[in-house]
Amino acid sequence: MAASTAVQVVLLDIEGTVCPISFVKDVLFPHALKALPETVKEQWDKPEFKIYRDAFPAEFSGSQDAFQAHVIDLVTRDVKVSYLKNLQGYLWEEGYRSGQIKAPLFSDVAPMLARWHGQGIKLMIYSSGSVAAQKLLFKYTNAEPSDLTMLISDWFDTVNAGLKAESASYEKIASNYPDVLPSQFLFLSDNVTEVDAAIAAGMQSKVIFRPGNAELASDVRERLEVLESFDELEADLNTKKLEALGKRDRSESEEVKQEAVDKKKAAATPPNSDKTKEAVAAEDSHKDKKMKPMDNEKTEERRPSGTNRTEDELPAAPSAGTGTTISDLLNEVEQSNGN
């Protein structure tokens, strides 16, 4: 049986998929770097900051200058390591809460997420940014209402799932939901390498090409499906969902029709007409056998008192060739009863 392709889970990348790449590079990264010096100076020894500081390698966590230099170097080279991502989320939080930062989602994103959620499709996020940073982004958006976190069922990053370019990461995500087939996941990303990894893990996956994204290689559109808006998925997902429901409805309808036909045949068929003569004879014989013990018991009850006799009291059967006739046997029985 072929695996179902009806989408149950939409797994979403963030940067270049739900919001412009420029938001991360031109807004979030600069904001973190701008907030870093004051945060380091004022919170260096505070417990809430020390958690992030101590996650850095020892050669950078012991000095404020070394710490800041390392952060700037990682951001400049766009190195995606978990301890940097966690620190950035911490630095962005105040910016989001103060209103300085608001995630500029593409116009089709919020309406489509709400629509898919209403259709019973689970929505999940998989980004190289930390889960904490993901939740901040979806909590403070330019949509109305701004907070979309209640639409999201689960969150994955490079810490709890693995690197996004590896198929094992997508297999790990799917393993969290054993009731959903990998083929019922749809991963959407602007990154072709990530799309290939998801497909290798058995998921459906499509490339999202948004304004501001890097141009795709010439062969990508030939071997992968490329979309420029989530709106292009609406008809596709609905069709697959309706097909799955249609198969179930047709199956149930056929069962109901067959049951009606069977009842009609049973009502129109005379008793035993569908049985062979041998089957009827066997059934009658079985009934006779069941009735005989009852008849014998009733016969014994009807005999006069004292007339019941055991086998020992009955005259012996005549031997073959003795010449004894039936009349002789009857006379012998009468004489015996007279005694």
Side-chain angles (χ1 to χ4, degrees):
M1 181 181 293
S4 172
T5 58
V7 173
Q8 301 295 320
V9 176
V10 173
L11 183 64
L12 294 166
D13 171 49
I14 293 180
E15 183 181 349
T17 300
V18 303
C19 70
I21 292 176
S22 60
F23 171 64
V24 177
K25 291 187 176 180
D26 298 343
V27 178
L28 291 183
F29 285 177
H31 181 88
L33 292 177
K34 183 179 179 180
L36 180 64
E38 185 177 354
T39 302
V40 168
K41 181 180 179 180
E42 294 183 357
Q43 301 185 33
W44 183 254
D45 292 318
K46 290 185 177 180
E48 60 268 27
F49 181 79
K50 195 171 182 296
I51 296 173
Y52 300 97
R53 188 193 84 186
D54 290 347
F56 276 63
E59 62 267 33
F60 305 115
S61 61
S63 163
Q64 293 188 19
D65 291 339
F67 183 86
Q68 293 187 66
H70 185 53
V71 171
I72 293 171
D73 176 58
L74 293 175
V75 172
T76 302
R77 293 188 291 118
D78 195 21
V79 177
K80 301 180 187 299
V81 290
S82 60
Y83 60 83
L84 172 65
K85 296 296 181 182
N86 290 333
L87 173 66
Q88 288 173 324
Y90 178 76
L91 296 172
W92 292 332
E93 185 171 2
E94 183 56 36
Y96 276 114
R97 288 180 175 175
S98 67
Q100 297 178 57
I101 302 176
K102 187 169 287 190
L105 302 181
F106 291 112
S107 60
D108 58 294
V109 173
M112 194 58 71
L113 295 189
R115 195 171 305 163
W116 286 337
H117 182 269
Q119 292 171 351
I121 296 175
K122 287 184 173 63
L123 303 174
M124 302 179 188
I125 306 301
Y126 182 27
S127 172
S128 58
S130 68
V131 168
Q134 295 173 23
K135 292 181 177 179
L136 283 172
L137 188 147
F138 279 92
K139 185 174 184 179
Y140 300 96
T141 74
N142 61 344
E144 185 59 46
S146 175
D147 188 354
L148 303 180
T149 55
M150 73 288 295
L151 302 178
I152 311 301
S153 298
D154 212 343
W155 313 80
F156 298 97
D157 58 16
T158 56
V159 175
N160 63 11
L163 298 177
K164 297 182 70 181
E166 298 178 357
S167 61
S169 302
Y170 300 88
E171 292 171 356
K172 185 175 182 179
I173 290 173
S175 70
N176 286 276
Y177 295 88
D179 57 327
V180 181
L181 298 172
S183 62
Q184 293 175 321
F185 279 77
L186 172 62
F187 176 59
L188 303 176
S189 174
D190 66 307
N191 190 303
V192 175
T193 303
E194 296 173 2
V195 169
D196 286 336
I199 291 174
M203 292 184 180
Q204 300 180 57
S205 189
K206 303 178 191 294
V207 177
I208 303 298
F209 184 71
R210 298 288 196 177
N213 289 12
E215 188 56 53
L216 299 171
S218 58
D219 68 320
V220 172
R221 295 180 185 273
E222 296 176 2
R223 64 185 186 84
L224 297 172
E225 188 171 354
V226 179
L227 307 175
E228 296 186 1
S229 170
F230 287 174
D231 292 332
E232 297 176 48
L233 282 165
E234 179 67 1
D236 185 44
L237 295 190
N238 279 344
T239 298
K240 288 180 178 178
K241 200 170 187 71
L242 289 172
E243 284 177 353
L245 291 172
K247 289 177 182 178
R248 185 189 70 186
D249 292 342
R250 284 195 297 273
S251 177
E252 293 176 350
S253 177
E254 288 171 2
E255 289 180 3
V256 171
K257 288 180 180 178
Q258 186 59 47
E259 185 178 351
V261 170
D262 292 343
K263 287 182 179 179
K264 188 174 181 180
K265 285 182 178 179
T269 302
N272 294 335
S273 65
D274 59 342
K275 300 178 182 177
T276 63
K277 291 181 179 180
E278 291 81 4
V280 173
E283 186 176 307
D284 292 340
S285 175
H286 180 66
K287 290 179 179 179
D288 289 343
K289 287 179 181 178
K290 291 177 69 177
M291 291 298 294
K292 282 181 180 178
M294 294 179 64
D295 292 343
N296 290 341
E297 289 175 5
K298 290 179 180 179
T299 301
E300 291 295 329
E301 290 174 359
R302 288 197 298 269
R303 288 177 179 171
S305 177
T307 61
N308 292 344
R309 303 173 63 190
T310 66
E311 289 183 357
D312 294 336
E313 293 174 327
L314 291 174
S319 302
T322 60
T324 304
T325 66
I326 293 177
S327 297
D328 294 335
L329 182 59
L330 291 175
N331 289 333
E332 186 177 347
V333 170
E334 288 178 356
Q335 291 174 6
S336 176
N337 287 338
N339 295 334

